[in-house]
Amino acid sequence: SQKIEQNSEALNIQEGKTATLTCNYTNYSPAYLQWYRQDPGRGPVFLLLIRENEKEKRKERLKVTFDTTLKQSLFHITASQPADSATYLCALGNTGRRALTFGSGTRLQVQP
Amino acid sequence: KAGVTQTPRYLIKTRGQQVTLSCSPISGHRSVSWYQQTPGQGLQFLFEYFSETQRNKGNFPGRFSGRQFSNSRSEMNVSTLELGDSALYLCASSLEGGTEYGYTFGSGTRLTVV
């Protein structure tokens, strides 16, 4: 069955450093991979989407890579700030299915 | 531009009862998807509606149902509530419903079944 794995342990880093979050998947050939941010008690907020034929996507301090051979995506936040503290979810999708499969999320804590 | 509105925000129900949750998508978005989020299972897809038609359904029992109205507003219903139905129910809207673009989620309805 399809499986998506994200670091289950919380990631603690110092302000100003680069946070790197991992998303690994098995038994899946996604056409798209999306990253969301979720704060406690709120719904996820869309951050970035990367397609299977793209290696890297950037948006401001965010960078996502997608390696379909390794079946892995890396999500980077550069110059991290305490306000970046949240849970980050990766989600995979396929054209036509109209449903995302989510990972369990990684909680990021940025210390001032 | 108003976001996705879900009502109510919090709900407490007793086992065996039924519940209806409401979602108003972003104006112009015709697709509404519903997800259930629990600590143990994470976010799981319930169903997706587009122009009043259910186009896709997740692996949930028939107690979970939904509908969409002509103005794109959507409701989901859970009958014969069980303790395990306690969760955050999230609605997500998008223009066409594909996964090629990001979804806009509401803040969710926190359902507690006692």
Side-chain angles (χ1 to χ4, degrees):
Chain A
S1 61
Q2 298 167 356
K3 193 173 181 183
I4 302 174
E5 289 186 347
Q6 295 187 251
N7 315 53
S8 56
E9 301 283 329
L11 181 62
N12 290 289
I13 64 168
Q14 286 297 122
E15 184 176 5
K17 301 291 186 184
T18 296
T20 298
L21 285 66
T22 305
C23 176
N24 295 298
Y25 60 92
T26 55
N27 298 322
Y28 206 122
S29 296
Y32 312 93
L33 191 147
Q34 303 181 16
W35 283 88
Y36 289 80
R37 167 189 172 136
Q38 187 173 26
D39 292 285
R42 313 292 294 182
V45 174
F46 172 72
L47 296 174
L48 278 170
L49 178 148
I50 187 165
R51 293 176 169 78
E52 61 177 337
N53 60 351
E54 298 175 316
K55 295 293 185 188
E56 184 179 296
K57 187 72 75 75
R58 291 174 186 260
K59 178 183 175 183
E60 297 171 355
R61 295 184 296 112
L62 308 179
K63 184 178 87 171
V64 174
T65 63
F66 193 11
D67 189 324
T68 55
T69 301
L70 289 178
K71 294 186 182 295
Q72 180 183 78
S73 174
L74 298 178
F75 178 79
H76 307 271
I77 304 175
T78 58
S80 59
Q81 305 164 1
D84 294 326
S85 298
T87 295
Y88 291 85
L89 300 157
C90 75
L92 279 59
N94 267 319
T95 306
R97 185 168 184 266
R98 306 184 190 94
L100 292 174
T101 303
F102 281 86
S104 55
T106 297
R107 191 160 64 86
L108 173 66
Q109 189 70 39
V110 181
Q111 307 290 345
Chain B
K1 191 173 184 182
V4 177
T5 302
Q6 290 189 247
T7 56
R9 284 297 310 278
Y10 303 93
L11 208 49
I12 300 176
K13 289 286 188 179
T14 304
R15 263 186 310 175
Q17 287 187 312
Q18 68 95 26
V19 67
T20 299
L21 313 181
S22 179
C23 172
S24 293
I26 288 175
S27 178
H29 284 192
R30 295 191 294 168
S31 168
V32 173
S33 299
W34 289 89
Y35 287 81
Q36 181 197 64
Q37 186 173 31
T38 58
Q41 299 296 318
L43 270 150
Q44 292 190 292
F45 172 73
L46 281 157
F47 26 65
E48 187 252 356
Y49 286 87
F50 182 86
S51 292
E52 302 179 66
T53 300
Q54 185 183 92
R55 296 196 299 188
N56 204 358
K57 190 176 190 306
N59 295 323
F60 278 82
R63 300 184 296 106
F64 292 81
S65 63
R67 59 177 176 168
Q68 186 180 34
F69 302 95
S70 57
N71 61 358
S72 293
R73 190 177 71 84
S74 177
E75 289 180 348
M76 68 162 280
N77 184 277
V78 188
S79 62
T80 320
L81 283 166
E82 299 176 1
L83 295 179
D85 297 332
S86 295
L88 181 66
Y89 290 88
L90 292 159
C91 166
S93 85
S94 63
L95 273 170
E96 296 292 331
T99 57
E100 304 93 274
Y101 307 100
Y103 287 92
T104 302
F105 281 85
S107 292
T109 293
R110 171 74 62 185
L111 172 65
T112 302
V113 182
V114 296

